[in-house]
Coordinates of all heavy atoms in Angstrom, one line a residue:
H55 N 92.4 396.6 -24.3 CA 91.5 396.4 -23.2 C 90.0 396.8 -23.7 O 89.3 397.3 -22.9 CB 91.9 397.2 -22.0 CG 92.9 396.5 -21.2 ND1 92.5 395.6 -20.2 CD2 94.2 396.6 -21.1 CE1 93.6 395.1 -19.7 NE2 94.7 395.8 -20.2
S56 N 89.7 396.5 -24.9 CA 88.3 396.9 -25.4 C 87.3 395.8 -24.9 O 86.1 396.1 -25.0 CB 88.3 397.0 -26.9 OG 88.7 395.8 -27.5
E57 N 87.8 394.7 -24.5 CA 86.9 393.6 -24.0 C 86.4 393.9 -22.6 O 87.2 394.2 -21.7 CB 87.6 392.2 -24.1 CG 86.7 391.1 -23.8 CD 85.7 390.8 -24.8 OE1 85.9 391.2 -26.0 OE2 84.6 390.3 -24.4
I58 N 85.1 393.7 -22.4 CA 84.5 394.0 -21.1 C 84.7 392.7 -20.3 O 84.4 391.6 -20.8 CB 83.0 394.3 -21.2 CG1 82.9 395.6 -22.0 CG2 82.4 394.5 -19.8 CD1 81.4 396.0 -22.3
S59 N 85.1 392.8 -19.0 CA 85.3 391.6 -18.2 C 83.9 391.0 -17.9 O 82.9 391.6 -17.9 CB 85.9 392.0 -16.8 OG 85.0 392.7 -16.0
P60 N 83.9 389.7 -17.6 CA 82.7 388.9 -17.3 C 81.9 389.6 -16.1 O 80.7 389.6 -16.1 CB 83.1 387.5 -17.0 CG 84.4 387.4 -17.7 CD 85.1 388.7 -17.7
K61 N 82.7 390.0 -15.1 CA 82.0 390.6 -13.9 C 81.3 391.9 -14.3 O 80.2 392.2 -13.9 CB 83.1 390.9 -12.9 CG 82.6 391.4 -11.6 CD 83.7 391.6 -10.5 CE 83.2 392.1 -9.2 NZ 84.2 392.3 -8.2
M62 N 82.0 392.7 -15.2 CA 81.3 394.0 -15.6 C 80.2 393.7 -16.6 O 79.2 394.4 -16.5 CB 82.4 394.8 -16.3 CG 82.0 396.3 -16.4 SD 81.5 396.9 -14.8 CE 82.6 398.3 -14.8
K63 N 80.3 392.7 -17.4 CA 79.2 392.3 -18.3 C 77.9 392.0 -17.5 O 76.8 392.4 -17.8 CB 79.5 391.1 -19.2 CG 80.3 391.5 -20.4 CD 80.5 390.3 -21.3 CE 81.4 390.6 -22.4 NZ 81.7 389.5 -23.3
K64 N 78.1 391.2 -16.4 CA 77.0 390.8 -15.5 C 76.3 392.0 -14.9 O 75.1 392.1 -14.7 CB 77.5 389.9 -14.4 CG 76.4 389.3 -13.6 CD 77.0 388.2 -12.7 CE 76.0 387.7 -11.6 NZ 74.8 387.2 -12.0
K65 N 77.1 393.1 -14.6 CA 76.6 394.3 -14.0 C 75.9 395.2 -15.0 O 74.9 395.8 -14.7 CB 77.8 395.1 -13.4 CG 77.4 396.3 -12.6 CD 78.5 396.9 -11.9 CE 78.1 398.2 -11.2 NZ 79.2 398.8 -10.5
L66 N 76.4 395.2 -16.3 CA 75.9 396.2 -17.3 C 74.9 395.6 -18.2 O 74.1 396.3 -18.8 CB 77.1 396.7 -18.1 CG 78.1 397.6 -17.4 CD1 79.2 397.9 -18.3 CD2 77.5 398.8 -16.8
F67 N 74.9 394.2 -18.4 CA 74.0 393.6 -19.3 C 73.0 392.6 -18.6 O 73.3 392.1 -17.6 CB 74.8 392.8 -20.4 CG 75.6 393.6 -21.3 CD1 76.8 394.2 -20.9 CD2 75.2 393.9 -22.6 CE1 77.6 395.0 -21.8 CE2 75.9 394.7 -23.5 CZ 77.1 395.2 -23.0
D68 N 71.9 392.4 -19.3 CA 70.9 391.4 -18.8 C 70.1 390.9 -19.9 O 70.2 391.4 -21.1 CB 70.0 392.0 -17.7 CG 69.6 390.9 -16.6 OD1 69.4 389.8 -17.0 OD2 69.5 391.3 -15.5
T69 N 69.2 389.9 -19.6 CA 68.4 389.3 -20.6 C 67.0 389.9 -20.7 O 66.4 390.2 -19.6 CB 68.3 387.8 -20.3 OG1 69.6 387.2 -20.2 CG2 67.5 387.1 -21.4
C70 N 66.4 390.1 -21.9 CA 65.1 390.6 -22.0 C 64.1 389.5 -21.5 O 64.3 388.3 -21.9 CB 64.8 391.0 -23.4 SG 63.0 391.3 -23.8
S71 N 63.2 389.8 -20.7 CA 62.3 388.8 -20.1 C 61.4 388.2 -21.2 O 60.9 387.1 -21.0 CB 61.4 389.5 -19.1 OG 62.1 389.9 -18.0
E72 N 61.2 388.9 -22.3 CA 60.3 388.5 -23.3 C 61.0 387.7 -24.4 O 60.7 386.5 -24.7 CB 59.5 389.7 -23.9 CG 58.4 389.3 -24.8 CD 57.2 388.7 -24.1 OE1 57.1 388.9 -22.9 OE2 56.4 388.0 -24.7
C73 N 62.0 388.3 -25.1 CA 62.6 387.7 -26.3 C 63.9 387.0 -25.9 O 64.4 386.2 -26.8 CB 62.8 388.7 -27.4 SG 64.1 389.9 -27.0
G74 N 64.5 387.2 -24.8 CA 65.7 386.6 -24.4 C 67.0 387.2 -24.9 O 68.1 386.7 -24.7
G75 N 66.8 388.4 -25.5 CA 68.0 389.1 -26.0 C 68.9 389.6 -24.9 O 68.4 389.9 -23.8
W76 N 70.2 389.5 -25.2 CA 71.2 390.0 -24.2 C 71.6 391.4 -24.5 O 72.3 391.6 -25.5 CB 72.4 389.0 -24.3 CG 73.5 389.3 -23.3 CD1 74.7 389.8 -23.6 CD2 73.6 389.0 -21.9 NE1 75.5 389.9 -22.5 CE2 74.8 389.4 -21.4 CE3 72.6 388.5 -21.0 CZ2 75.2 389.3 -20.1 CZ3 73.0 388.4 -19.7 CH2 74.3 388.8 -19.2
L77 N 71.1 392.4 -23.8 CA 71.3 393.8 -24.1 C 71.8 394.6 -22.8 O 71.7 394.1 -21.7 CB 70.0 394.4 -24.5 CG 69.4 393.8 -25.8 CD1 67.9 394.2 -25.8 CD2 70.1 394.2 -27.0
R78 N 72.3 395.8 -23.1 CA 72.7 396.7 -22.0 C 71.4 397.0 -21.2 O 70.4 397.3 -21.7 CB 73.3 398.0 -22.5 CG 74.7 397.9 -23.0 CD 75.2 399.2 -23.5 NE 76.0 399.9 -22.5 CZ 77.2 399.6 -22.1 NH1 77.8 398.5 -22.6 NH2 77.8 400.3 -21.2
K79 N 71.6 396.9 -19.9 CA 70.5 397.3 -19.0 C 70.0 398.7 -19.3 O 68.8 399.0 -19.2 CB 70.9 397.2 -17.5 CG 71.1 395.7 -17.1 CD 71.5 395.7 -15.6 CE 71.8 394.3 -15.2 NZ 72.3 394.2 -13.8
S80 N 70.9 399.6 -19.6 CA 70.6 401.0 -19.8 C 69.8 401.2 -21.1 O 69.1 402.2 -21.2 CB 71.8 401.9 -19.8 OG 72.7 401.5 -20.9
D81 N 69.7 400.2 -21.9 CA 69.0 400.3 -23.2 C 67.6 399.6 -23.1 O 66.9 399.5 -24.1 CB 69.8 399.7 -24.3 CG 71.0 400.5 -24.7 OD1 71.0 401.7 -24.3 OD2 71.9 400.0 -25.3
M82 N 67.3 399.1 -21.9 CA 66.0 398.3 -21.7 C 65.1 399.0 -20.7 O 65.6 399.9 -20.0 CB 66.3 396.9 -21.3 CG 67.0 396.1 -22.3 SD 67.1 394.3 -21.9 CE 68.3 394.2 -20.7
I83 N 63.9 398.6 -20.6 CA 62.9 399.0 -19.6 C 63.1 398.1 -18.4 O 63.1 396.9 -18.5 CB 61.5 398.9 -20.1 CG1 61.3 399.7 -21.5 CG2 60.5 399.4 -19.1 CD1 61.5 401.2 -21.4
T84 N 63.3 398.8 -17.2 CA 63.4 398.0 -16.0 C 62.0 397.7 -15.5 O 61.1 398.5 -15.4 CB 64.1 398.8 -14.9 OG1 65.4 399.2 -15.4 CG2 64.3 398.0 -13.6
L85 N 61.7 396.4 -15.2 CA 60.4 396.0 -14.7 C 60.5 396.0 -13.2 O 61.3 395.3 -12.6 CB 60.1 394.6 -15.2 CG 60.1 394.4 -16.8 CD1 59.9 393.0 -17.1 CD2 59.1 395.4 -17.4
L86 N 59.5 396.7 -12.5 CA 59.5 396.8 -11.1 C 58.1 396.3 -10.6 O 57.1 396.4 -11.3 CB 59.7 398.3 -10.7 CG 61.0 398.9 -11.1 CD1 60.9 400.4 -10.8 CD2 62.2 398.3 -10.5
A87 N 58.1 395.8 -9.3 CA 56.9 395.4 -8.7 C 56.9 395.8 -7.2 O 57.9 395.8 -6.6 CB 56.7 393.9 -8.9
R88 N 55.7 396.0 -6.7 CA 55.5 396.3 -5.3 C 54.1 395.7 -4.9 O 53.2 395.7 -5.7 CB 55.7 397.7 -4.9 CG 54.6 398.6 -5.5 CD 54.8 400.0 -5.0 NE 53.7 400.8 -5.6 CZ 53.6 402.1 -5.5 NH1 54.5 402.8 -4.9 NH2 52.6 402.7 -6.0
S89 N 54.0 395.3 -3.7 CA 52.7 394.7 -3.3 C 51.8 395.7 -2.6 O 50.6 395.4 -2.5 CB 53.0 393.5 -2.3 OG 53.7 394.0 -1.2
R90 N 52.3 396.8 -2.2 CA 51.4 397.8 -1.6 C 52.0 399.2 -1.7 O 53.2 399.4 -1.8 CB 51.0 397.5 -0.2 CG 52.2 397.4 0.8 CD 51.8 397.1 2.2 NE 52.9 397.0 3.1 CZ 53.5 395.9 3.4 NH1 53.0 394.8 3.0 NH2 54.6 395.9 4.2
R91 N 51.2 400.2 -1.5 CA 51.7 401.6 -1.6 C 52.7 401.9 -0.4 O 52.6 401.3 0.6 CB 50.5 402.6 -1.4 CG 49.6 402.7 -2.6 CD 48.5 403.6 -2.3 NE 48.9 404.9 -1.8 CZ 48.4 406.0 -2.2 NH1 47.5 406.1 -3.1 NH2 48.9 407.2 -1.7
G92 N 53.6 402.7 -0.7 CA 54.6 403.1 0.3 C 55.8 402.1 0.3 O 56.8 402.4 0.9
E93 N 55.6 400.9 -0.2 CA 56.7 399.9 -0.3 C 57.7 400.3 -1.4 O 57.2 400.7 -2.5 CB 56.1 398.6 -0.5 CG 57.1 397.4 -0.5 CD 56.4 396.1 -0.8 OE1 55.9 395.9 -1.9 OE2 56.4 395.3 0.2
Q94 N 59.0 400.1 -1.2 CA 59.9 400.3 -2.3 C 59.7 399.2 -3.3 O 59.6 398.0 -3.0 CB 61.4 400.2 -1.7 CG 61.8 401.4 -1.0 CD 61.9 402.6 -1.9 OE1 62.3 402.6 -3.0 NE2 61.4 403.8 -1.4
P95 N 59.7 399.6 -4.6 CA 59.5 398.6 -5.7 C 60.8 397.7 -5.8 O 61.9 398.2 -5.5 CB 59.3 399.4 -6.9 CG 59.7 400.8 -6.6 CD 59.7 400.9 -5.1
K96 N 60.6 396.5 -6.1 CA 61.7 395.5 -6.3 C 61.9 395.3 -7.8 O 60.9 395.1 -8.6 CB 61.4 394.2 -5.7 CG 61.0 394.2 -4.2 CD 62.2 394.3 -3.3 CE 61.9 394.2 -1.9 NZ 61.4 395.4 -1.2
K97 N 63.1 395.2 -8.3 CA 63.4 395.0 -9.7 C 63.1 393.5 -9.9 O 63.6 392.6 -9.2 CB 64.8 395.3 -10.0 CG 65.2 395.1 -11.5 CD 66.7 395.3 -11.7 CE 67.4 394.4 -10.9 NZ 68.6 393.8 -11.2
I98 N 62.3 393.2 -10.9 CA 62.0 391.8 -11.3 C 62.5 391.4 -12.6 O 62.5 390.2 -13.0 CB 60.5 391.5 -11.2 CG1 59.7 392.5 -12.1 CG2 59.9 391.7 -9.8 CD1 58.2 392.1 -12.3
G99 N 63.1 392.4 -13.4 CA 63.6 392.0 -14.7 C 63.8 393.2 -15.6 O 63.6 394.3 -15.2
F100 N 64.0 392.9 -16.9 CA 64.2 393.9 -17.9 C 63.4 393.5 -19.1 O 63.2 392.3 -19.4 CB 65.7 394.1 -18.3 CG 66.5 394.6 -17.1 CD1 67.1 393.8 -16.2 CD2 66.6 396.0 -16.9 CE1 67.9 394.3 -15.2 CE2 67.4 396.5 -15.9 CZ 68.0 395.6 -15.0
M101 N 63.1 394.4 -20.0 CA 62.4 394.1 -21.2 C 62.9 395.1 -22.3 O 63.0 396.3 -22.0 CB 60.9 394.3 -21.1 CG 60.1 393.7 -22.3 SD 58.3 393.8 -22.0 CE 58.0 392.6 -20.8
C102 N 63.3 394.6 -23.4 CA 63.8 395.5 -24.5 C 62.7 396.4 -24.9 O 61.5 396.0 -24.7 CB 64.4 394.7 -25.7 SG 63.3 393.8 -26.7
K103 N 63.0 397.5 -25.5 CA 61.9 398.5 -25.9 C 60.9 397.9 -26.9 O 59.8 398.3 -26.8 CB 62.6 399.8 -26.3 CG 63.3 400.4 -25.1 CD 64.1 401.6 -25.4 CE 64.8 402.1 -24.2 NZ 65.7 403.2 -24.5
A104 N 61.4 397.1 -27.9 CA 60.5 396.6 -28.9 C 59.5 395.6 -28.2 O 58.3 395.7 -28.5 CB 61.3 395.9 -30.0
C105 N 60.0 394.8 -27.3 CA 59.1 393.8 -26.6 C 58.1 394.6 -25.7 O 57.0 394.2 -25.5 CB 59.9 392.8 -25.8 SG 60.7 391.6 -26.9
F106 N 58.6 395.7 -25.1 CA 57.8 396.5 -24.2 C 56.6 397.1 -25.0 O 55.5 397.1 -24.5 CB 58.6 397.6 -23.5 CG 57.9 398.4 -22.5 CD1 57.5 397.9 -21.3 CD2 57.6 399.7 -22.9 CE1 56.8 398.7 -20.4 CE2 56.9 400.6 -22.0 CZ 56.5 400.0 -20.8
K107 N 56.9 397.6 -26.2 CA 55.9 398.1 -27.0 C 54.8 397.0 -27.3 O 53.6 397.3 -27.2 CB 56.5 398.7 -28.3 CG 55.4 399.3 -29.2 CD 56.0 399.8 -30.5 CE 54.9 400.3 -31.4 NZ 55.1 400.0 -32.8
K108 N 55.3 395.9 -27.8 CA 54.4 394.8 -28.1 C 53.6 394.4 -26.9 O 52.4 394.1 -27.0 CB 55.2 393.5 -28.6 CG 55.8 393.7 -30.0 CD 56.6 392.5 -30.4 CE 57.4 392.8 -31.6 NZ 58.3 391.7 -31.9
F109 N 54.2 394.3 -25.7 CA 53.5 394.0 -24.4 C 52.4 395.0 -24.2 O 51.2 394.6 -23.9 CB 54.5 393.9 -23.3 CG 53.8 393.8 -21.9 CD1 53.4 392.5 -21.5 CD2 53.6 394.9 -21.1 CE1 52.7 392.4 -20.3 CE2 53.0 394.7 -19.9 CZ 52.5 393.5 -19.5
C110 N 52.7 396.3 -24.3 CA 51.7 397.3 -24.0 C 50.5 397.2 -25.0 O 49.4 397.3 -24.6 CB 52.3 398.7 -24.1 SG 53.4 399.1 -22.7
E111 N 50.8 397.0 -26.3 CA 49.8 396.9 -27.3 C 48.9 395.6 -27.0 O 47.7 395.7 -27.1 CB 50.4 396.8 -28.7 CG 51.0 398.1 -29.1 CD 51.8 398.0 -30.4 OE1 52.2 396.9 -30.8 OE2 52.1 399.1 -30.9
G112 N 49.6 394.5 -26.6 CA 48.9 393.3 -26.4 C 47.9 393.4 -25.2 O 46.9 392.7 -25.1
Q113 N 48.3 394.2 -24.2 CA 47.5 394.4 -23.0 C 46.5 395.5 -23.2 O 45.7 395.8 -22.2 CB 48.4 394.7 -21.8 CG 49.3 393.6 -21.4 CD 48.6 392.3 -21.0 OE1 47.6 392.3 -20.3 NE2 49.0 391.2 -21.6
G114 N 46.5 396.2 -24.3 CA 45.6 397.4 -24.5 C 46.0 398.6 -23.7 O 45.2 399.4 -23.4
L115 N 47.3 398.7 -23.4 CA 47.8 399.8 -22.6 C 48.4 400.9 -23.5 O 49.0 400.6 -24.5 CB 48.9 399.3 -21.6 CG 48.5 398.2 -20.6 CD1 49.8 397.7 -19.9 CD2 47.5 398.8 -19.6
E116 N 48.3 402.1 -23.0 CA 48.9 403.2 -23.7 C 50.4 403.1 -23.5 O 50.8 403.0 -22.3 CB 48.3 404.5 -23.2 CG 48.7 405.7 -24.1 CD 48.0 407.0 -23.6 OE1 46.8 406.9 -23.4 OE2 48.7 408.0 -23.4
I117 N 51.2 403.3 -24.5 CA 52.7 403.2 -24.3 C 53.1 404.5 -23.6 O 52.8 405.6 -24.1 CB 53.4 403.0 -25.7 CG1 52.9 401.7 -26.3 CG2 54.9 403.1 -25.5 CD1 53.4 401.5 -27.7
P118 N 53.7 404.4 -22.5 CA 54.1 405.6 -21.7 C 55.2 406.4 -22.4 O 56.0 405.8 -23.2 CB 54.7 405.0 -20.4 CG 55.0 403.6 -20.6 CD 54.1 403.2 -21.8
E119 N 55.2 407.7 -22.2 CA 56.2 408.5 -22.9 C 57.5 408.5 -22.0 O 57.5 409.3 -21.0 CB 55.7 410.0 -23.0 CG 54.6 410.0 -24.0 CD 54.1 411.5 -24.3 OE1 54.9 412.4 -24.1 OE2 52.9 411.6 -24.6
L120 N 58.4 407.7 -22.3 CA 59.6 407.6 -21.6 C 60.7 408.2 -22.4 O 60.6 408.2 -23.7 CB 59.9 406.1 -21.3 CG 58.9 405.3 -20.4 CD1 59.2 403.9 -20.3 CD2 58.7 405.9 -19.1
A121 N 61.8 408.6 -21.8 CA 62.9 409.3 -22.5 C 63.4 408.5 -23.7 O 63.9 407.4 -23.5 CB 64.0 409.6 -21.5
G122 N 63.3 409.0 -24.9 CA 63.9 408.3 -26.1 C 63.2 407.1 -26.5 O 63.7 406.4 -27.4
L123 N 62.1 406.7 -25.9 CA 61.4 405.4 -26.2 C 61.0 405.3 -27.6 O 61.2 404.3 -28.3 CB 60.3 405.2 -25.2 CG 59.6 403.8 -25.3 CD1 60.5 402.7 -25.0 CD2 58.4 403.8 -24.4
A124 N 60.3 406.3 -28.2 CA 59.8 406.2 -29.5 C 60.8 406.0 -30.5 O 60.7 405.1 -31.4 CB 59.0 407.5 -29.8
E125 N 62.0 406.7 -30.5 CA 63.0 406.5 -31.5 C 63.7 405.2 -31.3 O 64.0 404.5 -32.3 CB 64.1 407.6 -31.3 CG 63.6 409.1 -31.4 CD 63.0 409.6 -30.2 OE1 63.4 409.3 -29.1 OE2 62.0 410.4 -30.3
D126 N 63.9 404.8 -30.0 CA 64.6 403.5 -29.8 C 63.8 402.3 -30.2 O 64.3 401.3 -30.7 CB 65.0 403.4 -28.3 CG 66.0 404.4 -27.8 OD1 66.7 404.9 -28.7 OD2 66.2 404.6 -26.6
I127 N 62.5 402.4 -30.1 CA 61.6 401.3 -30.5 C 61.7 401.1 -32.0 O 61.8 400.0 -32.4 CB 60.1 401.6 -30.1 CG1 59.9 401.4 -28.6 CG2 59.1 400.8 -30.9 CD1 58.6 401.8 -28.1
K128 N 61.7 402.2 -32.8 CA 61.9 402.0 -34.2 C 63.2 401.3 -34.6 O 63.2 400.4 -35.4 CB 61.8 403.4 -34.9 CG 60.5 404.0 -34.9 CD 60.5 405.4 -35.6 CE 59.2 406.1 -35.5 NZ 59.2 407.4 -36.0
E129 N 64.3 401.7 -34.0 CA 65.6 401.1 -34.2 C 65.6 399.6 -33.8 O 66.0 398.8 -34.5 CB 66.7 401.8 -33.5 CG 67.0 403.2 -34.0 CD 68.0 403.9 -33.1 OE1 68.7 403.3 -32.3 OE2 68.1 405.1 -33.3
E130 N 65.0 399.3 -32.7 CA 65.0 398.0 -32.2 C 64.1 397.1 -33.0 O 64.4 395.9 -33.2 CB 64.5 397.9 -30.7 CG 65.5 397.2 -29.8 CD 65.2 397.3 -28.4 OE1 65.7 398.3 -27.8 OE2 64.5 396.5 -27.9
E131 N 62.9 397.6 -33.4 CA 62.1 396.8 -34.3 C 62.8 396.4 -35.6 O 62.7 395.3 -36.1 CB 60.8 397.5 -34.6 CG 59.8 397.5 -33.4 CD 58.5 398.3 -33.8 OE1 58.6 399.2 -34.6 OE2 57.5 398.0 -33.1
E132 N 63.5 397.3 -36.1 CA 64.3 397.1 -37.4 C 65.3 396.0 -37.1 O 65.5 395.1 -37.9 CB 64.9 398.3 -37.9 CG 63.9 399.3 -38.4 CD 64.6 400.7 -38.7 OE1 65.8 400.9 -38.5 OE2 63.8 401.6 -39.1
R133 N 66.0 396.0 -35.9 CA 67.0 395.0 -35.6 C 66.3 393.7 -35.4 O 66.8 392.7 -35.9 CB 67.7 395.5 -34.3 CG 69.0 394.7 -34.0 CD 69.7 395.2 -32.8 NE 69.6 396.7 -32.6 CZ 69.3 397.2 -31.4 NH1 69.1 396.5 -30.4 NH2 69.3 398.5 -31.3
H134 N 65.2 393.6 -34.7 CA 64.4 392.4 -34.5 C 64.0 391.8 -35.8 O 64.2 390.6 -36.0 CB 63.2 392.6 -33.6 CG 63.4 392.5 -32.2 ND1 63.3 391.3 -31.5 CD2 63.7 393.4 -31.2 CE1 63.6 391.5 -30.2 NE2 63.8 392.8 -30.0
N135 N 63.5 392.6 -36.7 CA 63.0 392.1 -38.0 C 64.2 391.6 -38.8 O 64.0 390.6 -39.5 CB 62.3 393.2 -38.8 CG 61.0 393.6 -38.1 OD1 60.4 392.8 -37.4 ND2 60.5 394.8 -38.4
G136 N 65.3 392.2 -38.7 CA 66.5 391.7 -39.4 C 67.0 390.4 -38.9 O 67.4 389.5 -39.6
E137 N 66.9 390.2 -37.6 CA 67.3 388.9 -37.0 C 66.3 387.8 -37.3 O 66.8 386.7 -37.6 CB 67.4 389.1 -35.4 CG 68.5 389.9 -35.0 CD 68.5 390.1 -33.5 OE1 67.7 389.6 -32.8 OE2 69.4 390.9 -33.0
E138 N 65.0 388.1 -37.4 CA 64.0 387.1 -37.7 C 64.2 386.6 -39.2 O 64.0 385.4 -39.5 CB 62.6 387.6 -37.5 CG 62.3 387.8 -36.1 CD 60.9 388.5 -35.9 OE1 60.2 388.8 -36.9 OE2 60.6 388.7 -34.7
K139 N 64.6 387.5 -40.1 CA 64.8 387.1 -41.5 C 66.0 386.2 -41.6 O 66.0 385.3 -42.5 CB 65.0 388.4 -42.3 CG 63.8 389.2 -42.5 CD 64.0 390.5 -43.3 CE 62.8 391.3 -43.3 NZ 63.0 392.6 -44.0
K140 N 67.1 386.4 -40.7 CA 68.2 385.5 -40.8 C 67.9 384.1 -40.4 O 68.6 383.2 -40.8 CB 69.3 386.1 -39.9 CG 69.9 387.4 -40.4 CD 71.0 387.9 -39.4 CE 71.5 389.3 -39.8 NZ 72.5 389.8 -38.8
M141 N 66.9 383.9 -39.5 CA 66.6 382.6 -38.9 C 65.9 381.8 -39.9 O 65.6 381.5 -40.8 CB 65.8 382.7 -37.7 CG 66.7 383.3 -36.6 SD 65.6 383.5 -35.1 CE 66.9 383.8 -33.9

């Protein structure tokens, strides 16, 4: 029973809004939006940590200090670079 059911995959995994990678939601940054103060934010998607870093740099934003983000970004960039070389 090491295979995850399709229903559970849909719950645990999603697509990166930027690169389209299929990853665990817990390994990505959740993108939230709200239209005014006091309103509960709505989930609008997910972004892998490497794409999130590129997005922040592209917008001239300081990369926020999120739990484990710096280490995970290095690992993910290496993974992205390895996939690009295969293509």
Side-chain angles (χ1 to χ4, degrees):
H55 277 276
S56 62
E57 185 67 28
I58 299 173
S59 72
K61 186 177 180 182
M62 195 56 122
K63 278 185 184 178
K64 186 171 170 57
K65 185 176 180 179
L66 296 176
F67 291 79
D68 211 326
T69 305
C70 171
S71 299
E72 192 69 23
C73 70
W76 181 253
L77 302 162
R78 284 183 95 74
K79 291 178 182 179
S80 62
D81 293 338
M82 295 192 284
I83 305 294
T84 304
L85 305 175
L86 304 170
R88 66 177 184 188
S89 59
R90 62 178 177 261
R91 286 177 54 138
E93 180 181 68
Q94 284 295 319
K96 305 280 188 278
K97 181 184 60 142
I98 58 171
F100 296 90
M101 193 177 285
C102 71
K103 292 173 182 173
C105 289
F106 182 71
K107 179 185 178 218
K108 289 178 193 173
F109 172 79
C110 289
E111 290 171 345
Q113 298 297 315
L115 301 171
E116 190 173 312
I117 298 169
E119 292 184 29
L120 302 174
L123 184 63
E125 301 84 32
D126 292 345
I127 284 176
K128 287 180 187 175
E129 290 175 15
E130 233 171 271
E131 283 179 335
E132 290 171 2
R133 196 175 325 131
H134 270 272
N135 291 337
E137 288 174 6
E138 288 174 3
K139 289 177 185 176
K140 289 179 186 176
M141 293 179 164

